[in-house]
Amino acid sequence: MLSIADNDYQGTCFQHHEISDLLHYGNKSLKALCEEHEGLLVFPPHLKDTDDRLGEDPIFSFAYGETEEDIVVTTGNVMGFIGKGEQKLRIFSRFDRENKHDYFLHYMLQRVLSINLFDFDTNSADEDVFDLLLFLFPHYLKAAMQQGVFREYVRFQHNNANVRGTIDLARHIRHNIPYNGRIAYNTREYSRDNSMTQLIRHTIEHIRQSRYAEAILQQDADTKACVKDIVELTPSYSRSRRQQVIQKNLRPSSHPYFTDYLPLKDLCLRILRWDEIKNGESDDDFVGLLFDGAWLWEEYCNTILHDYGFVHPENKKWKNALYLFTDHTCPRYPDFYREDKGLVVDAKYKKYGEKEKMARVGGDDLHQIITYMFRLQAHYGAFLSPFQEEHDTFLSAHLEGYGGEVAIWGIEIPQSAASYSEFCTIMHANEERFKSYLNEKFFSVYLT
């Protein structure tokens, strides 16, 4: 398997024969590839939930080097895995460059999606990378079930004397002639035992056969309750009808209320169909599992800042917007803010830890956070990014004019952990060090 870091703008050189089967998918937008290839899965599931530009960017770009045998590959802001046939490319976080085991990616997934990856073999064969799909299942199941149990109209066939639907004449002749007192008829009922809940049930039963079944389906009380509800709601479940259920759910569908079931449906289909996709039994043999690094880092930061009462606006759901004008126009969505504390924080999946002065930060980023500070009348703004080395102090600078301070905060990412469990232990210690800084500088009164 070939490996390359995300955001590798200088490029890494591969030999043409090493990557030739994947070149067809380079220099194409991620949005177009997702529409063309069902074996490509991106998280978050909908590109509209990420940076608006992500869908227009390629997974990787390539150009020829000094000879046609040399292929120089550059990458953007996604990390994960893609493959076709025997050729596979792993894109790891550039903040995990020394480990190259995807520890940082797995850790963020564990924190953001509340999944248990301690038993996951991060050094296993590359096809086991897709066991990550199974670990994502509880998060999307719980999100969907919070909207209520999915219901839709289902056609049922009956054959009794209590006619309450449309008579099925052909079936009646087959089963009730000579007349036996029963009538064959059909009804259309709003049911909780339907193609969607059946798909979820089949996925649960599939996961039960995996080596991670207990860690996934019994990871917490909410997951166990959701699994129990789905099992009770699908009394017509039959293992032999799995392909029929899959085919029904392959049809495009939408629902104005049960919107969180669509990502779950997509994930269930990938899990149940992965064997045929992996073995090239489908028409689409280009596969991948990719994560938006900027989205994942922001959501990881939220797991820490949420405990400090920071507001985390959701621009796709139009929640907690800040308006620039008194007539409620020009909404803006800073990543995190505490208006009462005069604090605004922008999560940046960038190498800000290498900056020697604030003036080296990109102009757009500086202008954005200063705008947020002005709107909130905040005296302190910060960029929160991953660091690759420990810093005794965080870089900061004071603003002219109205005043205020802009800083770069960071959480150190371990570079020499011998195992994933050791990586987690060090990360926890680094998080506690960062929290101690917040407590001492801003929240000593708030947290006591």
Side-chain angles (χ1 to χ4, degrees):
M1 177 187 289
L2 303 176
S3 295
I4 188 173
D6 66 9
N7 289 276
D8 185 349
Y9 299 120
Q10 294 183 343
T12 299
C13 187
F14 299 105
Q15 294 299 294
H16 186 276
H17 68 274
E18 295 178 306
I19 200 171
S20 56
D21 289 345
L22 295 176
L23 295 182
H24 176 72
Y25 310 101
N27 300 335
K28 290 187 176 181
S29 73
L30 185 56
K31 180 180 180 181
L33 289 174
C34 287
E35 293 173 350
E36 296 171 4
H37 303 283
E38 63 179 20
L40 180 62
L41 189 59
V42 179
F43 285 89
H46 299 299
L47 292 177
K48 66 182 180 180
D49 293 335
T50 69
D51 186 320
D52 292 336
R53 296 170 295 179
L54 181 70
E56 304 305 319
D57 293 336
I59 299 174
F60 69 92
S61 301
F62 71 92
Y64 291 100
E66 295 182 359
T67 69
E68 290 189 359
E69 186 62 24
D70 296 327
I71 304 296
V72 180
V73 175
T74 58
T75 54
N77 224 32
V78 293
M79 64 183 95
F81 168 93
I82 57 173
K84 179 179 180 181
E86 296 299 318
Q87 295 188 351
K88 298 175 175 63
L89 178 65
R90 184 170 62 91
I91 306 173
F92 59 90
S93 171
R94 65 195 187 281
F95 295 100
D96 206 12
R97 185 177 291 275
E98 297 302 321
N99 285 312
K100 295 188 178 180
H101 292 309
D102 291 325
Y103 290 160
F104 186 37
L105 168 61
H106 295 156
Y107 184 79
M108 287 194 291
L109 289 174
Q110 179 177 315
R111 291 293 306 273
V112 171
L113 303 181
S114 301
I115 59 181
N116 180 10
L117 288 175
F118 282 101
D119 296 325
F120 185 73
D121 185 1
T122 57
N123 295 309
S124 61
D126 37 79
E127 62 266 18
D128 286 342
V129 172
F130 283 86
D131 284 338
L132 274 172
L133 290 176
L134 307 184
F135 284 93
L136 297 172
F137 176 75
H139 173 80
Y140 288 95
L141 173 64
K142 289 183 286 188
M145 293 288 282
Q146 284 180 352
Q147 288 190 317
V149 177
F150 187 91
R151 295 185 296 172
E152 67 179 1
Y153 282 104
V154 179
R155 184 174 176 269
F156 292 97
Q157 293 183 339
H158 306 273
N159 190 33
N160 53 50
N162 303 316
V163 181
R164 52 188 177 88
T166 304
I167 295 176
D168 189 335
L169 187 58
R171 189 160 56 86
H172 177 72
I173 293 173
R174 285 198 309 271
H175 296 289
N176 301 320
I177 300 298
Y179 183 62
N180 55 14
R182 294 192 291 268
I183 304 293
Y185 63 96
N186 302 322
T187 60
R188 189 169 179 264
E189 303 174 19
Y190 204 46
S191 174
R192 296 182 295 183
D193 188 1
N194 50 62
S195 59
M196 178 70 79
T197 53
Q198 282 288 331
L199 179 70
I200 301 170
R201 173 69 182 277
H202 279 278
T203 306
I204 291 171
E205 299 303 328
H206 178 81
I207 294 175
R208 279 177 172 164
Q209 304 304 312
S210 78
R211 53 181 167 166
Y212 303 115
E214 183 174 352
I216 295 170
L217 299 179
Q218 300 183 39
Q219 66 172 235
D220 56 46
D222 290 339
T223 300
K224 289 190 285 187
C226 290
V227 170
K228 181 176 181 289
D229 288 343
I230 290 294
V231 171
E232 292 177 350
L233 292 168
T234 52
S236 64
Y237 166 79
S238 172
R239 171 64 180 84
S240 62
R241 296 174 59 190
R242 180 164 297 178
Q243 287 304 315
Q244 180 182 348
V245 170
I246 290 174
Q247 290 301 316
K248 283 185 178 180
N249 282 277
L250 286 175
R251 303 166 188 165
S253 63
S254 61
H255 197 289
Y257 177 73
F258 294 109
T259 53
D260 283 335
Y261 275 85
L262 296 181
L264 176 61
K265 172 185 173 180
D266 195 35
L267 179 62
C268 289
L269 288 172
R270 295 303 195 279
I271 291 173
L272 295 176
R273 301 189 68 212
W274 175 241
D275 284 340
E276 64 182 67
I277 293 173
K278 178 179 63 178
N279 296 324
E281 296 174 11
S282 70
D283 294 333
D284 184 355
D285 58 352
F286 174 66
V287 297
L289 178 60
L290 299 170
F291 299 90
D292 173 24
W295 168 80
L296 196 54
W297 172 251
E298 180 181 328
E299 295 307 311
Y300 163 72
C301 292
N302 187 44
T303 65
I304 297 174
L305 297 180
H306 178 269
D307 294 338
Y308 289 87
F310 277 90
V311 178
H312 182 35
E314 300 176 76
N315 60 334
K316 300 305 177 184
K317 296 182 180 180
W318 298 91
K319 291 183 177 179
N320 300 313
L322 296 176
Y323 295 95
L324 296 186
F325 298 102
T326 56
D327 60 355
H328 275 218
T329 56
C330 291
R332 294 295 183 268
Y333 298 87
D335 292 340
F336 307 95
Y337 66 88
R338 275 288 305 267
E339 193 163 4
D340 59 326
K341 288 285 185 177
L343 275 171
V344 58
V345 180
D346 200 3
K348 290 296 182 186
Y349 184 68
K350 297 180 179 181
K351 287 191 173 183
Y352 277 175
E354 299 177 353
K355 305 296 184 185
E356 70 276 10
K357 59 175 62 177
M358 289 303 305
R360 296 292 186 184
V361 175
D364 289 344
D365 292 343
L366 280 175
H367 298 159
Q368 183 180 58
I369 201 165
I370 292 171
T371 298
Y372 295 153
M373 292 172 65
F374 181 88
R375 165 58 182 83
L376 287 165
Q377 296 181 331
H379 61 270
Y380 202 97
F383 300 105
L384 179 53
S385 70
F387 282 3
Q388 288 182 291
E389 58 184 29
E390 184 178 347
H391 290 247
D392 294 332
T393 58
F394 293 142
L395 181 65
S396 66
H398 292 274
L399 292 168
E400 293 282 8
Y402 286 106
E405 185 176 354
V406 179
I408 295 176
W409 295 347
I411 299 175
E412 183 189 358
I413 312 304
Q415 298 299 304
S416 58
S419 65
Y420 180 62
S421 59
E422 181 182 343
F423 182 92
C424 294
T425 300
I426 300 173
M427 275 297 297
H428 179 71
N430 294 344
E431 290 169 355
E432 291 302 311
R433 186 182 303 114
F434 174 66
K435 290 179 180 179
S436 295
Y437 168 79
L438 293 183
N439 292 341
E440 181 180 347
K441 189 170 179 66
F442 303 104
F443 293 100
S444 56
V445 176
Y446 170 71
L447 291 180
T448 56

